[in-house]
């Protein structure tokens, strides 16, 4: 019984009491862990207290431990976070203050960032000597012997190097060798790992993880050592060209090389030479003519993956415009663009990533290839490619602004009007036109008027921004792209690159939609909404515009829709909390008018419930009087006793804010009211009734077809 209440109790106090009283066993363990993600901080803290007092770390699976740590360390409530820290301290004590042993009980390979947060919190709360002891016992001559390098040991070693380099320089020198010594150490381990049989999956996986951690740690070394940097450069070049390492390690090595080599042009030239050697292994050994060299060029997936990874690592470390650097331009044309049309999904994905990174640092390339990324999102069927392409699109808009691409779009339309024969030109240059066309030929993007991309390029009645917003709405409705699209739209709106009430409404519905429970997008959207009202008046106007259509969408959703499970009052209260007083009084007036249209509908009842939450204490006197007048009409329309009582209470509250008129003003107002009542005509009442019926019909038609996706296009004005 207690277990059921702990999992399903509707009242926070009931859930908290149930969690504390529950008998701990294998069946009740999961409900207790689930309460660490309860909506109430008191319940979450109670769940952590039970874990501290009654449950050993050995009683939980690794997945349960990681879930508990993620819930606690990412919690915004300080009390819950402190309780999680107390749990971590208990676990450290269980392993006799040996943090490396604790890490073996966690998942350092799969949850690197989370384990990093755990170690960081431990280092903040324990004495440095205690934290150092388990590492010093494993170190010889400032390094851990290569035959003792486990995933947990190297991970903790890197964390300690990072912590001591910033806080304890004397200890840093005890656990980090010179750059030359470390470079040789890295090379020795990579050579040793290369001898591991690929059939021994566990050993091969562990070695790959250790190499990545060692590369990360190399970035923490003292780069002011000139001789050490030269040795590191030689070692990185050797490993990239000679050793058998993973793609992830190659990218990190290129980044490390770029950090060690201070001259940008040297970096670009060296990496380009390495890529050329990988693709043309026989070129340096024997003299061939040009045709023979081209025939020996390797374009197999393994080679292309290796080369594309190096290009990505290189581009991330340069500051020059890729479009105007001759060496980078050649890499872009010969390596990256040839991979965009590959039939291998991994090659295609890495090519799009490399192209996207190049576009982010080059406005010229960004304007040139934007439509290519839009094409890829519309026609590719590989999830990772779709997500990466969409991320690139959002990043380009975030870096350069939508107006940059709108100007380019306008220029193209002008050229099309001047020369209709060139209207079929694509965004790619002539050297790549055939490749892209052959890949996308089956979709007939440019010829099919039903294709969304065709509308994006040719619809003259809409602006470029309107067409982009239309695409974003489609992405938000796509289950595969929903999370990426929501995060991207939120970033654009937060940075004022894009302001649109329809998109804001969709984000709000996604956040409350029960189908997104457990989706990472909820954390992102939560951060977005929590910082939205910080002096951004333009976004607050958008919230006001989205207020009524959002509530109407929820209230009129069909019974089969998951939106039926959303409490519209909670949504309304959130939007009101984001808005200031100026917005509240306008919303209160509009709310009263909406209620008068259909006071007995679900939408009308929702607005009646929300209306008293409007903060109108500082409203203008004229608006207060108008609200009072509308409230009197609403009270006459509603039949429910408790509703009448609630509205009457609110009316009394509004009356208290109204300044009593002077005797002369009171006499003048009575005169005006009599004149206005005489002028009222049946025609006006008829028009009002017709308007009410039209509005009601519009709301009912919104979800007339449950199979159609929710669309707020016609509801926001």
């Amino acid at each position: 019984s207690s277990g059921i209440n702990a999992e399903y109790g509707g009242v926070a106090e009931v859930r908290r009491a149930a969690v504390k009283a529950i008998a701990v066993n294998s069946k009740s363990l999961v409900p207790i862990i689930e309460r660490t993600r309860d909506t109430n901080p008191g319940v979450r803290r109670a769940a952590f207290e039970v874990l501290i007092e009654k449950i050993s770390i050995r009683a939980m699976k690794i997945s349960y431990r990681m879930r508990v740590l993620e819930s606690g360390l990412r919690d915004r409530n300080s009390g819950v976070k402190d309780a999680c820290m107390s749990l971590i301290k208990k676990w450290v004590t269980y392993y006799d203050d040996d943090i490396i042993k604790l890490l073996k009980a966690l998942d350092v390979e799969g949850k690197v960032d989370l384990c990093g947060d755990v170690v960081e919190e431990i280092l903040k709360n324990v004495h440095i000597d205690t934290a150092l002891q388990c590492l010093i016992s494993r170190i010889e001559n400032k390094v851990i012997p290569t035959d003792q390098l486990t995933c947990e040991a190297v991970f903790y070693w890197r964390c300690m190097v990072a912590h001591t380099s910033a806080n304890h320089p004397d200890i840093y020198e005890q656990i980090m060798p010179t750059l030359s010594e470390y470079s040789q150490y890295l090379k020795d381990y990579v050579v040793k790992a290369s001898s591991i049989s690929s059939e021994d999956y566990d050993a091969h996986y562990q070695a790959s993880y250790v190499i990545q951690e060692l590369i990360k740690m190399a970035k923490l070394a003292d780069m002011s050592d000139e001789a050490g940097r030269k040795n590191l450069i030689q070692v990185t070049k050797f490993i990239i060209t000679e050793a058998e390492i993973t793609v992830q390690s190659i990218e990190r090595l290129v980044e490390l090389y770029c950090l060690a080599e201070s001259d940008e042009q040297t970096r670009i030239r060296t990496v380009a030479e390495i890529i050329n050697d990988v693709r043309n292994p026989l070129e340096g050994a024997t003299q061939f003519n040009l045709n023979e060299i081209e025939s020996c060029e390797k374009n197999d997936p393994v080679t292309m993956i290796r080369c594309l990874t190096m290009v990505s690592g290189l581009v991330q470390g340069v500051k020059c415009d890729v479009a105007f650097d001759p060496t980078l331009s050649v890499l872009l044309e010969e390596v990256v663009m040839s991979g965009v049309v590959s039939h291998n999904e991994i090659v295609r994905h890495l090519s799009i990533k490399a192209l996207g990174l190049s576009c982010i640092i080059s406005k010229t390339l960004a304007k040139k290839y934007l439509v290519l990324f839009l094409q890829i999102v519309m026609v590719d069927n590989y999830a990772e490619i779709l997500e990466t392409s969409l991320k690139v699109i959002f990043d380009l808009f975030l870096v350069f602004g939508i107006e940059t691409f709108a100007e380019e779009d306008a220029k193209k339309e002008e050229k099309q009007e001047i020369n209709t024969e060139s209207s079929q030109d694509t965004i790619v240059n002539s050297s790549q036109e055939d490749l892209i066309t052959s890949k996308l030929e089956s979709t007939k993007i440019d010829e099919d008027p039903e294709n969304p991309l065709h509308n994006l390029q040719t619809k003259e009645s809409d602006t470029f921004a309107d067409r982009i917003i239309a695409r974003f709405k489609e992405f938000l409705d796509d289950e595969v792209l929903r999370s990426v699209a929501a995060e991207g739209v939120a970033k654009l709106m937060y940075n004022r690159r894009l302001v649109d009430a329809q998109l804001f409404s969709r984000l709000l519905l996604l956040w409350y939609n029960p189908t997104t429970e457990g989706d990472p997008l909820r954390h992102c959207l939560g951060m977005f909404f929590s910082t939205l009202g910080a002096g951004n008046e333009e976004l607050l106007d958008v919230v006001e515009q989205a207020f009524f259509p959002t509530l109407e969408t929820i209230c009129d959703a069909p019974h089969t829709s998951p939106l039926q499970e959303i409490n519209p009052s909670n949504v309304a209260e959130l939007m009101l909390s984001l808005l200031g007083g100026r917005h509240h009084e306008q919303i209160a007036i509009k709310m009263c008018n909406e209620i008068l249209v259909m006071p007995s509908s679900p939408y009308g009842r929702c607005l009646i419930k929300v209306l008293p939450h409007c903060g109108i204490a500082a409203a203008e006197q004229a608006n207060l009087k108008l609200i009072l007048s509308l409230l009197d009409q609403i009270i006459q329309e509603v039949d429910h006793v408790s509703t009448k009582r609630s509205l009457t209470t609110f009316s009394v509250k509004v009356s208290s804010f109204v300044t009593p008129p002077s005797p002369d003003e009171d006499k003048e107002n009575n005169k005006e009211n009599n004149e206005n009542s005489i002028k009222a005509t049946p025609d006006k009442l008829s028009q009002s009734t017709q308007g009410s019926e039209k509005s009601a019909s519009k709301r009912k038609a919104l979800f007339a077809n449950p199979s159609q996706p929710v669309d707020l296009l016609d509801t926001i004005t």
Side-chain angles (χ1 to χ4, degrees):
S1 175
S2 295
I4 295 174
N5 285 333
E7 190 165 1
Y8 300 109
V11 181
E13 286 300 318
V14 173
R15 296 197 302 274
R16 189 172 68 86
V19 166
K20 283 190 167 291
I22 195 170
V24 178
N25 53 47
S26 58
K27 293 183 179 180
S28 63
L29 179 60
V30 174
I32 293 172
I33 292 173
E34 287 299 322
R35 288 309 100 202
T36 61
R37 297 188 176 187
D38 194 275
T39 55
N40 182 272
V43 178
R44 298 199 298 271
R45 182 166 184 170
F48 275 104
E49 289 172 353
V50 171
L51 292 174
I52 294 169
E53 297 168 6
K54 301 180 180 180
I55 301 175
S56 167
I57 186 174
R58 303 282 294 184
M60 291 190 286
K61 299 178 182 177
I62 291 179
S63 60
Y64 292 168
R65 299 167 194 165
M66 302 310 295
R67 190 188 308 178
V68 166
L69 291 173
E70 185 172 16
S71 301
L73 293 179
R74 306 281 164 82
D75 203 297
R76 297 183 188 177
N77 185 279
S78 58
V80 177
K81 195 169 183 179
D82 290 343
C84 180
M85 195 60 234
S86 298
L87 179 65
I88 293 173
K89 288 179 181 177
K90 178 190 174 183
W91 289 356
V92 172
T93 303
Y94 179 87
Y95 287 105
D96 300 321
D97 294 333
D98 192 326
I99 301 171
I100 294 177
K101 287 184 179 179
L102 171 61
L103 290 173
K104 288 183 179 180
L106 305 180
D107 182 13
V108 294
E109 297 99 326
K111 298 283 187 178
V112 177
D113 292 340
L114 180 57
C115 289
D117 292 341
V118 171
V119 173
E120 184 179 349
E121 290 297 327
I122 292 174
L123 295 177
K124 288 179 183 177
N125 291 274
V126 302
H127 194 276
I128 187 63
D129 292 338
T130 303
L132 187 63
Q133 186 58 43
C134 64
L135 182 61
I136 289 293
S137 62
R138 293 171 169 84
I139 279 183
E140 298 178 8
N141 298 322
K142 300 183 180 182
V143 297
I144 299 177
T146 55
D147 58 346
Q148 298 179 26
L149 271 178
T150 63
C151 296
E152 297 77 20
V154 71
F155 177 82
Y156 185 64
W157 185 17
R158 176 179 65 81
C159 290
M160 280 295 293
V161 169
H163 178 74
T164 56
S165 65
N167 303 290
H168 304 279
D170 53 331
I171 297 178
Y172 170 82
E173 294 179 358
Q174 299 177 34
I175 60 175
M176 186 68 186
T178 65
L179 188 53
S180 294
E181 293 171 342
Y182 187 82
S183 300
Q184 186 60 45
Y185 174 79
L186 173 61
K187 180 180 179 181
D188 292 343
Y189 184 82
V190 171
V191 171
K192 178 182 178 181
S194 299
S195 62
I196 298 175
S197 172
S198 57
E199 296 179 358
D200 190 348
Y201 177 79
D202 291 338
H204 196 266
Y205 179 81
Q206 177 174 307
S208 299
Y209 179 87
V210 170
I211 290 172
Q212 289 187 56
E213 288 297 316
L214 291 176
I215 295 170
K216 290 180 187 177
M217 193 158 63
K219 296 179 181 180
L220 301 170
D222 182 11
M223 291 293 172
S224 62
D225 180 0
E226 184 69 26
R229 283 196 298 111
K230 289 181 179 179
N231 289 329
L232 181 61
I233 289 170
Q234 294 301 318
V235 167
T236 53
K237 289 168 65 176
F238 168 80
I239 296 175
I240 291 172
T241 55
E242 303 294 336
E244 292 293 330
I245 54 176
T246 62
V247 171
Q248 294 84 355
S249 297
I250 291 174
E251 185 169 0
R252 294 192 184 281
L253 276 169
V254 173
E255 293 172 1
L256 178 61
Y257 168 73
C258 292
L259 180 65
E261 178 54 71
S262 57
D263 184 73
E264 186 171 278
Q265 286 303 312
T266 302
R267 294 200 301 264
I268 295 172
R269 185 175 61 255
T270 302
V271 175
E273 290 172 356
I274 294 174
I275 291 173
N276 184 64
D277 291 342
V278 172
R279 294 192 75 194
N280 303 283
L282 301 178
E283 186 177 2
T286 312
Q287 293 296 322
F288 290 91
N289 61 41
L290 182 61
N291 292 331
E292 288 175 329
I293 291 175
E294 290 178 352
S295 66
C296 294
E297 188 174 81
K298 296 173 65 177
N299 289 307
D300 60 282
V302 175
T303 301
M304 289 297 294
I305 288 170
R306 198 178 186 91
C307 294
L308 288 166
T309 304
M310 284 189 274
V311 173
S312 295
L314 174 63
V315 171
Q316 292 181 70
V318 301
K319 297 180 181 179
C320 64
D321 192 322
V322 178
F324 299 105
D325 184 280
T327 306
L328 290 175
S329 296
V330 171
L331 287 177
L332 187 68
E333 293 297 326
E334 296 186 357
V335 180
V336 177
M337 293 310 299
S338 63
V340 170
V341 293
S342 171
H343 292 287
N344 184 282
E345 291 86 354
I346 300 176
V347 172
R348 205 159 68 248
H349 179 230
L350 290 174
S351 298
I352 292 165
K353 177 184 175 182
L355 181 60
L357 291 169
S358 302
C359 290
I360 288 172
I361 61 174
S362 172
K363 184 185 289 189
T364 303
L365 292 179
K367 291 191 288 187
K368 183 178 181 181
Y369 289 111
L370 173 66
V371 172
L372 174 60
F373 290 114
L374 287 166
Q375 287 177 332
I376 292 168
V377 173
M378 303 305 292
V379 303
D380 210 298
N381 54 11
Y382 189 61
E384 289 189 19
I385 292 176
L386 296 176
E387 292 178 358
T388 299
S389 299
L390 189 55
K391 286 178 181 178
V392 170
I393 292 169
F394 282 117
D395 286 343
L396 295 181
F397 287 147
L398 194 61
V399 173
F400 301 111
I402 293 179
E403 62 279 358
T404 298
F405 303 96
E407 294 171 1
E408 186 72 11
D409 186 66
K411 291 177 182 177
K412 288 178 183 176
E413 289 182 357
E414 290 178 5
K415 290 181 180 179
Q416 288 175 352
E417 291 175 1
I418 296 172
N419 184 6
T420 56
E421 294 181 0
S422 63
S423 61
Q424 298 298 321
D425 289 347
T426 61
I427 194 69
V428 293
N429 59 31
S430 58
S431 63
Q432 298 299 328
E433 185 173 2
D434 294 338
L435 292 173
I436 298 298
T437 302
S438 64
K439 178 65 182 175
L440 305 176
E441 184 177 0
S442 60
T443 62
K444 297 183 180 179
I445 292 175
D446 296 327
E447 299 177 6
D448 183 6
E450 298 297 325
N451 192 289
L453 188 58
H454 176 84
N455 295 333
L456 177 67
Q457 293 176 323
T458 63
K459 194 174 181 180
E460 297 178 357
S461 59
D462 293 334
T463 65
F464 178 81
D466 291 334
R467 300 196 293 271
I468 289 298
I469 289 172
R471 296 288 79 77
F472 287 171
K473 291 172 188 172
E474 295 177 6
F475 300 151
L476 288 171
D477 291 335
D478 190 306
E479 290 187 6
V480 176
L481 299 175
R482 182 175 61 189
S483 295
V484 176
E487 182 177 348
V489 170
K491 287 180 179 179
L492 289 176
M493 294 189 74
Y494 179 77
N495 290 279
R496 307 186 194 187
R497 290 296 197 182
L498 175 68
V499 179
D500 184 78
Q502 300 170 30
L503 290 176
F504 175 83
S505 181
R506 286 173 181 262
L507 293 183
L508 201 58
L509 293 174
L510 274 177
W511 195 43
Y512 278 100
N513 196 318
T515 61
T516 62
E517 182 72 35
D519 195 313
L521 75 85
R522 280 205 172 187
H523 177 72
C524 171
L525 293 178
M527 293 295 294
F528 169 65
F529 293 129
S530 65
T531 57
L532 186 63
N536 194 334
E537 196 63 31
E538 190 176 9
L539 279 180
L540 293 183
D541 289 337
V542 166
V543 177
E544 182 179 337
Q545 294 171 36
F547 188 90
F548 294 102
T550 304
L551 297 181
E552 195 171 1
T553 300
I554 297 171
C555 293
D556 291 350
H559 294 294
T560 56
S561 171
L563 298 183
Q564 275 286 331
E565 300 180 36
I566 301 176
N567 185 342
S569 298
N570 292 342
V571 181
E573 289 173 20
L574 170 66
M575 287 191 281
L576 287 174
S577 69
L578 297 175
L579 297 169
R582 178 179 70 83
H583 298 273
H584 276 222
E585 58 184 283
Q586 294 301 322
I587 283 181
I589 294 171
K590 293 178 184 177
M591 205 180 295
C592 290
N593 284 310
E594 288 285 324
I595 293 170
L596 284 171
V597 174
M598 288 196 305
S600 300
S601 68
Y603 177 55
R605 292 196 300 269
C606 168
L607 295 182
I608 290 173
K609 187 176 180 181
V610 173
L611 183 58
H613 292 282
C614 291
I616 56 175
E620 296 180 4
Q621 289 296 307
N623 288 336
L624 288 172
K625 293 175 183 177
L626 178 58
I627 293 171
L628 271 177
S629 174
L630 294 170
L631 279 172
D632 290 340
Q633 297 178 51
I634 294 172
I635 292 171
Q636 293 176 10
E637 291 288 335
V638 298
D639 298 325
H640 201 277
V641 176
S642 62
T643 303
K644 277 183 177 288
R645 188 183 303 115
S646 173
L647 290 171
T648 303
T649 302
F650 182 59
S651 179
V652 172
K653 181 180 177 181
V654 175
S655 300
S656 67
F657 301 138
V658 178
T659 304
S662 63
D664 293 338
E665 291 175 338
D666 194 29
K667 188 180 296 183
E668 185 66 26
N669 289 338
N670 289 335
K671 183 179 178 181
E672 290 180 2
N673 290 337
N674 291 333
E675 292 176 354
N676 291 335
S677 63
I678 293 172
K679 293 178 181 178
T681 63
D683 291 341
K684 290 185 178 180
L685 293 175
S686 176
Q687 291 174 6
S688 176
T689 304
Q690 291 174 4
S692 300
E693 291 175 353
K694 184 178 180 182
S695 177
S697 174
K698 188 177 182 180
R699 282 195 288 271
K700 292 177 181 177
L702 183 62
F703 284 100
N705 187 354
S707 65
Q708 295 297 319
V710 176
D711 194 348
L712 302 179
L713 289 173
D714 297 327
T715 64
I716 297 179
T717 59

